[in-house]
Amino acid sequence: MKLVWSPDTASNAYIDTVTTLRQCGISRQSGVAEFLSSMAAGWNSKLIVESWSGGSSIAASVGLAVAARHSRGRHVCIVPDEESRSEYVKSMQVAGMEAEMVVGEAEEVMTGLAGIDFLVVDSRRRDSVRVLRYAKLGHKGAVLACKNACAKCLFPWAHWLGRGKRVVRSVFLPVGQGLNMAHISSSSVSASLKRGPSRWIKHVDRNSGEEHVFRR
């Protein structure tokens, strides 16, 4: 099975997020919250996970909570310490949102979050790489997003995710301070790729005439 896109659910989550942010007075100038909300809901994500630390904007978190409501899923936030947890809970309460949280290091907290469909990390957080590396993605595949990303930097999704996870496609979007996104294949697709026979491919450089042979 694969993730299935629902444009109606995405649209409803987008509008709901705009309304919610306006009602609670949270700034929505960047558009990141609405975009992530529509993506998470549109893919019918049942487990939405984000990493957050004190001092960060709460807008995207509100959007993800709205998405979980539309997809009838679960929204979980992981934070590094109790101070961040307290700040996050208070901010979400102001927005009228309930917060499910996990406190601790990435290696520890990610083990209890199996089957992630939608994962959001922040490149400004020092543990963002570890969160990605230890993430237990869903068997239907997953969508990953990294906020505050650099447009000029090649985002090493495959390297950060480790073995056994194939990046179907990735893209940089000029949303907010930069948003890198990747679609990860389902486990069934990855398994079939592993079982497939390898083959030799020959490529001839038209300019130099040199032949290059490599194994795929």
Side-chain angles (χ1 to χ4, degrees):
M1 295 180 64
K2 299 180 181 179
L3 291 175
V4 178
W5 176 255
S6 171
D8 290 339
T9 306
S11 178
N12 291 336
Y14 183 97
I15 296 172
D16 195 0
T17 300
V18 171
T19 302
T20 302
L21 292 176
R22 183 187 298 121
Q23 289 176 344
C24 59
I26 297 177
S27 174
R28 46 173 294 271
Q29 294 178 352
S30 69
V32 172
E34 302 93 312
F35 183 83
L36 290 176
S37 179
S38 63
M39 289 292 102
W43 286 114
N44 195 33
S45 305
K46 298 305 181 185
L47 178 55
I48 302 170
V49 177
E50 67 165 323
S51 62
W52 191 89
S53 57
S56 301
S57 171
I58 206 70
S61 301
V62 172
L64 294 175
V66 170
R69 189 165 60 199
H70 282 271
S71 67
R72 297 182 180 179
R74 177 185 173 201
H75 168 228
V76 181
C77 179
I78 59 175
V79 294
D81 48 50
E82 286 296 328
E83 184 177 352
S84 293
R85 185 199 66 80
S86 178
E87 181 182 342
Y88 184 89
V89 170
K90 290 178 181 178
S91 298
M92 291 294 279
Q93 287 177 344
V94 170
M97 298 288 178
E98 295 183 358
E100 181 178 352
M101 310 194 65
V102 183
V103 182
E105 296 295 327
E107 295 87 336
E108 176 185 359
V109 299
M110 297 305 286
T111 57
L113 297 172
I116 298 173
D117 298 313
F118 199 91
L119 174 63
V120 180
V121 298
D122 190 334
S123 65
R124 295 180 300 187
R125 276 193 58 166
R126 289 179 296 177
D127 66 347
S128 59
V129 175
R130 299 202 308 275
V131 171
L132 289 170
R133 187 162 298 246
Y134 289 97
K136 295 184 177 182
L137 306 182
H139 68 279
K140 295 186 295 183
V143 175
L144 313 179
C146 180
K147 301 184 297 182
N148 301 304
C150 175
K152 298 181 179 179
C153 301
L154 180 62
F155 208 70
W157 286 113
H159 175 70
W160 284 7
L161 290 170
R163 297 180 179 179
K165 300 171 185 176
R166 188 175 74 91
V167 179
V168 178
R169 64 176 62 88
S170 61
V171 63
F172 172 83
L173 300 171
V175 180
Q177 298 301 313
L179 189 64
N180 262 309
M181 299 196 70
H183 182 194
I184 310 303
S185 67
S186 63
S187 57
S188 59
V189 172
S190 299
S192 64
L193 288 173
K194 290 179 181 180
R195 291 194 299 267
S198 61
R199 59 194 180 98
W200 292 95
I201 299 175
K202 181 173 70 173
H203 175 265
V204 179
D205 191 311
R206 294 184 178 180
N207 296 322
S208 65
E210 296 179 346
E211 289 188 1
H212 302 275
V213 181
F214 57 94
R215 192 172 187 176
R216 183 178 179 181

